[in-house]
Amino acid sequence: MSFRLPGHPHPVILDDVRGAQKMLSGVARTTAMEGSRHLSGLVGAPVHLKCENLQRTGSFKLRGAYVRISGLRPEERAAGVVAASAGNHAQGVALASSLLGVRSTVFMPEGAPLPKVAATRQYGAEVRLEGQVIEETLDAAQEYADRTGAVFIHPFDHPDIIAGQGTVGLEILEQCPEVRTIVVGIGGGGLAAGIAVAVKTVRPDVRVVGVQAEGAAAYPPSLAAGRPVSVAAPATMADGIRVGRPGDLPFAIVGELVDEVRTVSEDELSSALLLCLERAKLVVEPAGAAPVAALLSDPRGFQGPVVAVLSGGNVDPLLMQRILRHGMAAAGRYLSLRLRLTDRPGALAAMLGSLTVLDANVLDVSHVRTDPRLGLTEAEVELQLETKGPEHCDEVAAALRAAGYTVTVMG
């Protein structure tokens, strides 16, 4: 079985993906496939993690970018290439261009994380910061291409990009020939489309499941409408899949070959990222953790063996800190309390001492003694605690109430 887009001059078929695999030999890594005992226990079948977060530049994007730029004619290479991205595609284009001796200019939003901007420059691209949102950045890159003749390298809507990303699917079949389900995050759809073309042609029995963040889920309404539709103001921490409209070519392939598209919440993304870090010892960005979030949200809904594609690991350290705190809160590992105390010397110390007995770690304390809401002899304390899980949270709150404190658990 091959997939051909009707009327499209550049069909995407298995031979294209195999050709891309040969082209990428010695350029892209054959990334590791790691088993997850924890996820396997939840799913009730073997679960493997395809670690594209360990790919060069920290994501799968190098694959498609290198294949696309390799296919340029000499005069196109001479004109240089231009791209727009908040991170992963930028770095993929920058490194691919450097390896091929092509000049690259990458437009990034003005608020792009500094580590991603620095990495893109270090890979050899000229970086220009334009626009507050990615749509403005894309417009600036397209205007530059029109003005200079540079070739615009789209992040997902081109057959060469899809063929390059599809090499992930070929590696999965080689590394886990018994696979029954592949779970992959979807933004514009290039990675899912490429994997689906590669896998479904060889193994039509393998189920391919796409995953989107709830706040940027353009594929479900698009599939329902039978055409790409836009989601207004997509919002999610998973910037790698924060795409407001499916690409035309990926959409046609996804609609034909991907079996199902699911959505996950921000809490589920945070919990998945935390699990990857704690259990698998892997640094994964929120978009890369989306397949794991889908497994956590419905562990018995996937036939195994399952391969979850960790598409990238490029996450800003400051964002990682916030996400981990959010993930720990979602997992019941943080507890926020407000307590009323008698305002007398030693009262705060006594209350904090009782937390030591309860084995709760105090992260932050706010002590208020003058407030119209408080009685003359009252004080209020807000606490941020690190706990061992939901049951421990309940134990801590109950013990403080039993000790005579008025306790309010905050969300």
Side-chain angles (χ1 to χ4, degrees):
M1 179 179 68
S2 298
F3 178 84
R4 293 179 182 273
L5 185 63
H8 197 283
H10 302 289
V12 182
I13 61 175
L14 178 61
D15 285 346
D16 297 321
V17 183
R18 286 178 171 157
Q21 189 175 44
K22 292 179 181 177
M23 190 179 298
L24 288 167
S25 178
V27 175
R29 295 171 181 152
T30 299
T31 50
M33 183 87 76
E34 299 287 345
S36 172
R37 178 180 295 182
H38 181 74
L39 288 172
S40 297
L42 293 176
V43 172
V47 174
H48 305 280
L49 306 175
K50 176 60 172 168
C51 299
E52 282 296 289
N53 58 311
L54 303 180
Q55 184 58 260
R56 297 178 71 180
T57 75
S59 87
F60 70 96
K61 288 289 190 177
L62 172 65
R63 297 174 183 264
Y66 189 89
V67 173
R68 172 75 172 99
I69 298 170
S70 292
L72 297 179
R73 300 187 303 273
E75 61 271 22
E76 291 176 319
R77 291 193 182 200
V81 299
V82 61
S85 168
N88 288 348
H89 182 57
Q91 294 173 64
V93 168
L95 179 57
S97 300
S98 294
L99 294 173
L100 292 164
V102 177
R103 184 179 70 257
S104 63
T105 303
V106 175
F107 285 77
M108 304 181 76
E110 292 177 4
L114 292 179
K116 294 185 178 182
V117 174
T120 304
R121 287 193 173 119
Q122 288 167 3
Y123 286 128
E126 177 188 347
V127 176
R128 301 191 180 191
L129 302 178
E130 294 275 354
Q132 297 298 319
V133 294
I134 192 63
E135 287 76 16
E136 295 174 357
T137 307
L138 283 164
D139 290 342
Q142 189 62 63
E143 186 277 330
Y144 177 89
D146 295 340
R147 176 167 48 84
T148 65
V151 179
F152 181 71
I153 306 299
H154 198 282
F156 47 80
D157 209 0
H158 192 279
D160 291 345
I161 295 287
I162 294 172
Q165 321 302 31
T167 60
V168 176
L170 293 181
E171 290 180 15
I172 290 172
L173 292 180
E174 293 164 1
Q175 294 170 312
C176 186
E178 68 278 15
V179 63
R180 298 302 303 275
T181 305
I182 297 173
V183 190
V184 56
I186 297 186
L191 177 60
I195 288 175
V197 168
V199 171
K200 288 288 192 177
T201 306
V202 180
R203 289 276 309 280
D205 61 302
V206 173
R207 187 171 176 80
V208 179
V209 178
V211 184
Q212 292 206 288
E214 286 179 355
Y219 265 89
S222 296
L223 292 169
R227 57 180 174 80
V229 298
S230 298
V231 172
T236 173
M237 71 176 76
D239 58 347
I241 54 174
R242 190 172 59 218
V243 178
R245 182 186 184 278
D248 292 332
L249 181 54
F251 173 77
I253 299 173
V254 168
E256 180 76 15
L257 298 180
V258 172
D259 296 279
E260 179 186 3
V261 176
R262 299 187 175 208
T263 61
V264 292
S265 69
E266 298 297 283
D267 283 351
E268 288 164 345
L269 286 168
S270 297
S271 297
L273 188 148
L274 183 62
L275 183 144
C276 289
L277 187 62
E278 285 193 324
R279 294 302 186 100
K281 314 307 178 190
L282 292 168
V283 176
V284 181
E285 62 188 271
V292 175
L295 294 178
L296 292 176
S297 68
D298 182 21
R300 297 293 172 167
F302 300 87
Q303 185 178 11
V306 178
V307 172
V309 181
L310 307 182
S311 59
N314 292 317
V315 56
D316 178 59
L318 295 177
L319 176 62
M320 171 70 89
Q321 185 179 37
R322 293 197 298 272
I323 291 172
L324 289 178
R325 290 182 68 91
H326 187 82
M328 290 183 73
R333 302 268 294 277
Y334 280 149
L335 177 62
S336 297
L337 298 174
R338 182 181 295 120
L339 297 86
R340 290 286 176 94
L341 307 173
T342 302
D343 188 14
R344 57 178 176 76
L348 178 61
M351 185 271 294
L352 293 175
S354 66
L355 293 173
T356 302
V357 177
L358 296 170
D359 203 20
N361 186 34
V362 179
L363 300 176
D364 191 33
V365 179
S366 175
H367 187 208
V368 178
R369 301 177 65 191
T370 56
D371 189 287
R373 297 178 294 109
L374 300 175
L376 185 63
T377 61
E378 287 184 321
E380 188 172 78
V381 177
E382 289 189 5
L383 294 172
Q384 299 289 327
L385 306 176
E386 182 181 0
T387 65
K388 299 175 182 178
E391 292 183 0
H392 191 209
C393 288
D394 293 340
E395 291 173 7
V396 170
L400 289 171
R401 291 190 180 102
Y405 298 107
T406 301
V407 178
T408 301
V409 178
M410 297 183 289

